[in-house]
Amino acid sequence: YTTTATIYMLTGISIGTIMVTSSNSWMLAWLGLELNSFAILPLISKTLQPRSIEAATKYFLTQSTASCLILFASTINAWQTGTWTITQMPDKLPSTLMLIALTMKMGAAPMHLWLPEVMQGTTLLTSLLISTWQKIAPMVLIFTTSNHLPSNITLIMGLLSTYLGGWGGMNQTHLRKMMAFSSIANMGWTLMTLTSEPKMSMINIMTYMLLTTPTFILLAQTSTKTLQDMTTMWTTSPTSSIMLMFLLLSMAGLPPLTGFMPKLLILNELISQNLTTISIATTMASLLSLIFYLRISYLTSLLNTPSSSTSTTKWRQNMNSLKMTQMTPTAVMSITTLPTLYL
């Protein structure tokens, strides 16, 4: 029964995303977003723990508020222009309201406080859906209306996201909250060039999804949820430990890994737009995220947990140890995709 229900929920999420990406009407897009939000609620609360029920409630209230703003903004736009077409949004008021609503759905600052709590209250694989697949539909709508969005507000929200994502992740010990703040910081990078060069923002968000997917899969397969668990991951699978280190360093944006590519392109675009000060501030904000990425990498590969036991085996040892052949292709692409930048 649980497997069948999960398949139904994932089907509903997929249908909602397809409705949004293929429609040119705000009403159909709104219906797709609603279907997308309601279908994931049973997955969030599947464990039936008080924490998961709380997370599902917070997710529902946040997404409902954002949906109301989307409907309100699209109604104002239809009243002014006489059409429900997504690409027709010339007035600043509905475009600003739409930007706020869509960034609230994705968890960008300053409407980001729900994301760490929701991801902490659910499972790792459901957190993967929230941080990757659930962002596709709002991002498609933002890219479609990018030429009408207010550039100043978008830049301010991008800077806030990069700084708050970096500061928030530094003080966490739970990996799901760390990944949530990492998602917030990455959304800031995505918003930076949204109005000037949307294709670079698309490259950034797709690269982030490419890196996040194998990271969550490795954490789920090794039952790693806290920093203390990271120190003993090597006893379950040394290969997974090394691969996770490369994934985290790639998400931090260190060259020559894949995560460095979109950040370099975004900084180059900001400088070409005579926004050198903002590019410097964004680069400084990335150092905040680099701190907790290096912290996790250090615990994963270079440190053993303090223990009086002489055994190097975890008591919850997974007998089906992960091998290199079981690594997802995206884990390999996170290391080898950078040379495509020079093609």
Side-chain angles (χ1 to χ4, degrees):
Y1 172 76
T2 304
T3 304
T4 305
T6 303
I7 293 174
Y8 277 123
M9 295 303 105
L10 292 176
T11 304
I13 294 171
S14 302
I15 293 174
T17 304
I18 293 172
M19 285 178 61
V20 174
T21 55
S22 60
S23 66
N24 195 32
S25 171
W26 278 116
M27 289 303 296
L28 286 177
W30 179 78
L31 288 175
L33 289 173
E34 287 298 291
L35 179 60
N36 204 359
S37 299
F38 279 107
I40 201 174
L41 287 176
L43 294 179
I44 297 176
S45 58
K46 185 174 67 173
T47 58
L48 298 180
Q49 299 292 332
R51 191 73 182 256
S52 63
I53 301 298
E54 178 185 352
T57 304
K58 290 179 179 179
Y59 186 84
F60 170 74
L61 293 176
T62 305
Q63 299 298 313
S64 299
T65 304
S67 297
C68 290
L69 278 177
I70 291 174
L71 194 60
F72 180 58
S74 58
T75 304
I76 293 177
N77 184 67
W79 183 26
Q80 293 176 343
T81 62
T83 179
W84 290 92
T85 307
I86 293 177
T87 55
Q88 300 295 325
M89 188 172 285
D91 193 72
K92 289 185 178 181
L93 177 60
S95 61
T96 304
L97 289 175
M98 192 62 67
L99 175 64
I100 294 173
L102 293 175
T103 51
M104 182 186 297
K105 275 188 168 293
M106 293 185 296
M111 288 76 63
H112 67 286
L113 296 177
W114 64 272
L115 185 60
E117 298 299 325
V118 171
M119 289 181 63
Q120 178 62 24
T122 186
T123 62
L124 282 166
L125 294 180
T126 307
S127 299
L128 171 62
L129 282 177
I130 294 174
S131 60
T132 55
W133 185 266
Q134 290 297 96
K135 291 185 178 182
I136 294 178
M139 283 305 302
V140 168
L141 293 178
I142 283 187
F143 288 140
T144 306
T145 60
S146 59
N147 58 329
H148 296 299
L149 298 178
S151 57
N152 292 334
I153 297 178
T154 306
L155 285 173
I156 291 173
M157 294 177 71
L159 274 176
L160 279 176
S161 297
T162 53
Y163 273 97
L164 292 178
W167 278 114
M170 290 173 61
N171 197 33
Q172 301 300 326
T173 57
H174 292 273
L175 294 176
R176 281 170 290 185
K177 278 194 174 183
M178 277 187 165
M179 296 302 295
F181 283 107
S182 169
S183 174
I184 294 167
N186 184 267
M187 281 306 305
W189 283 91
T190 303
L191 292 173
M192 283 297 175
T193 56
L194 186 61
T195 56
S196 59
E197 192 60 42
K199 292 182 180 179
M200 288 188 185
S201 297
M202 177 71 77
I203 292 173
N204 182 71
I205 193 69
M206 294 304 294
T207 305
Y208 176 75
M209 292 180 183
L210 179 72
L211 300 177
T212 304
T213 301
T215 302
F216 271 105
I217 291 175
L218 286 174
L219 293 177
Q221 289 180 337
T222 56
S223 301
T224 304
K225 299 178 181 179
T226 63
L227 290 180
Q228 185 176 3
D229 296 336
M230 297 291 286
T231 60
T232 55
M233 178 186 284
W234 64 275
T235 62
T236 301
S237 175
T239 304
S240 301
S241 178
I242 297 300
M243 187 62 68
L244 186 60
M245 180 192 70
F246 279 114
L247 285 168
L248 293 170
L249 294 178
S250 183
M251 292 174 67
L254 291 181
L257 302 177
T258 305
F260 176 69
M261 175 182 65
K263 289 181 171 58
L264 178 63
L265 293 174
I266 289 173
L267 291 176
N268 183 51
E269 176 64 23
L270 289 175
I271 293 174
S272 65
Q273 295 288 333
N274 294 325
L275 297 173
T276 308
T277 304
I278 293 180
S279 65
I280 293 174
T282 309
T283 307
M284 297 300 293
S286 67
L287 296 178
L288 300 175
S289 300
L290 179 62
I291 291 175
F292 65 82
Y293 282 127
L294 289 177
R295 181 186 181 192
I296 303 175
S297 301
Y298 177 71
L299 292 175
T300 304
S301 310
L302 303 173
L303 188 67
N304 293 338
T305 179
S307 175
S308 59
S309 174
T310 58
S311 173
T312 60
T313 304
K314 292 168 65 175
W315 66 270
R316 54 182 179 85
Q317 173 78 29
N318 184 7
M319 300 307 296
N320 297 322
S321 299
L322 298 176
K323 300 178 182 179
M324 180 62 75
T325 56
Q326 296 173 321
M327 294 294 106
T328 56
T330 50
V332 180
M333 291 177 64
S334 67
I335 306 171
T336 59
T337 308
L338 180 62
T340 60
L341 178 64
Y342 302 101
L343 297 179

